Amino acid sequence: MTPMKEDYLKIIFELGGSHKKVSNKEISLGLGIAAGSVTEMISKLADEGLVVHEPYAGISLTEKGQKYAAELVRKHRLWETFLVDKLNYNFADVHPEAEVLEHQTSDRLASALDEFLGHPDHCPHGGVIPSSKGAFPDVSHRLLAEANDGETVELERFLDNHELLTYLEELNLRPDDQVQVIRHEPFEGPIVIKKPGDDQEINVSYKAAHNIFIK
């Protein structure tokens, strides 16, 4: 399977495609590519029995697709955890390294790494780490972009994207942070937030707000 196909499976997994249907737009925003390209690749994945695409309803992973995606995500996030916790990598810089390492990791090595790390259940950017059998807990699929003005929410996890993580590092935002939504600027403008007890407003771009999950 090509790395691009694997990236699609991982992003559909992250967006909740194991439990619900996700849209072309969500995938497009998550991968930073044109919607037309998404349609073409989803068709290929459907032909391989990895996803189900219902027009006007959305895309979800098949059992085969979910198993494959969970295995990729598990190895990727175990390496991210190792790089941050044991090698002191910066929060935003682990994704490219883990992207390479996941493809060279056998199931045996993944199990040994999991044991060495003490069986972590989340990676540094808040994503769940599936078990060796592909099991994973329910997580929120509500986006920061969907929060109401005046609402206080907790940042749960960020999509696994190097550009996004670097951007959020610059904004000093991390999983588990509490933030209050001040307003949504019009015409796909930023979502303006601030942390409790801090009067400084933070502008989170429209795209980034669709890649941040809250609870």
Side-chain angles (χ1 to χ4, degrees):
M1 180 176 293
T2 65
M4 180 59 73
K5 288 181 179 178
E6 291 178 344
D7 286 344
Y8 269 81
L9 290 179
K10 287 190 292 184
I11 201 73
I12 295 169
F13 180 92
E14 283 202 75
L15 291 168
S18 300
H19 305 289
K20 69 183 186 81
K21 299 185 188 304
V22 301
S23 68
N24 279 29
K25 182 177 180 180
E26 289 176 303
I27 297 171
S28 175
L29 285 169
L31 292 175
I33 57 178
S37 300
V38 172
T39 301
E40 183 179 348
M41 180 59 79
I42 292 302
S43 179
K44 293 178 181 178
L45 294 175
D47 289 343
E48 295 179 28
L50 296 166
V51 303
V52 175
H53 182 205
E54 297 181 25
Y56 308 107
I59 299 137
S60 58
L61 293 169
T62 62
E63 183 177 346
K64 176 183 175 182
Q66 178 178 313
K67 181 179 179 181
Y68 199 98
E71 181 180 325
L72 286 169
V73 168
R74 168 179 164 77
K75 292 174 180 177
H76 185 97
R77 292 178 176 171
L78 283 172
W79 280 118
E80 287 188 328
T81 304
F82 174 80
L83 291 168
V84 170
D85 291 356
K86 303 302 180 181
L87 298 186
N88 300 316
Y89 264 64
N90 183 277
F91 165 84
D93 293 338
V94 294
H95 176 71
E97 302 279 18
E99 191 78 12
V100 174
L101 290 165
E102 73 182 58
H103 298 292
Q104 307 301 322
T105 303
S106 65
D107 291 343
R108 180 182 178 183
L109 177 55
S111 294
L113 186 60
D114 186 31
E115 178 75 25
F116 176 73
L117 292 170
H119 307 292
D121 52 13
H122 289 80
C123 72
H125 54 80
V128 298
I129 300 176
S131 72
S132 58
K133 296 182 179 179
F136 53 92
D138 288 337
V139 293
S140 172
H141 299 295
R142 188 182 182 211
L143 300 169
L144 177 62
E146 299 170 348
N148 300 313
D149 289 356
E151 184 179 3
T152 297
V153 300
E154 181 178 329
L155 307 183
E156 182 182 60
R157 60 192 175 93
F158 308 147
L159 281 191
D160 199 353
N161 175 286
H162 177 62
E163 182 182 356
L164 173 70
L165 297 176
T166 301
Y167 174 72
L168 296 177
E169 176 90 346
E170 292 171 354
L171 295 181
N172 194 29
L173 294 175
R174 292 293 183 97
D176 300 326
D177 281 353
Q178 296 274 340
V179 300
Q180 182 183 17
V181 177
I182 306 303
R183 63 186 177 277
H184 292 64
E185 297 288 7
F187 299 106
E188 297 189 353
I191 284 75
V192 183
I193 64 173
K194 67 178 182 179
K195 296 182 179 181
D198 187 347
D199 291 333
Q200 182 177 357
E201 294 186 345
I202 302 170
N203 293 316
V204 180
S205 74
Y206 177 85
K207 180 179 177 181
H210 283 80
N211 290 313
I212 300 171
F213 295 88
I214 59 173
K215 59 181 178 181

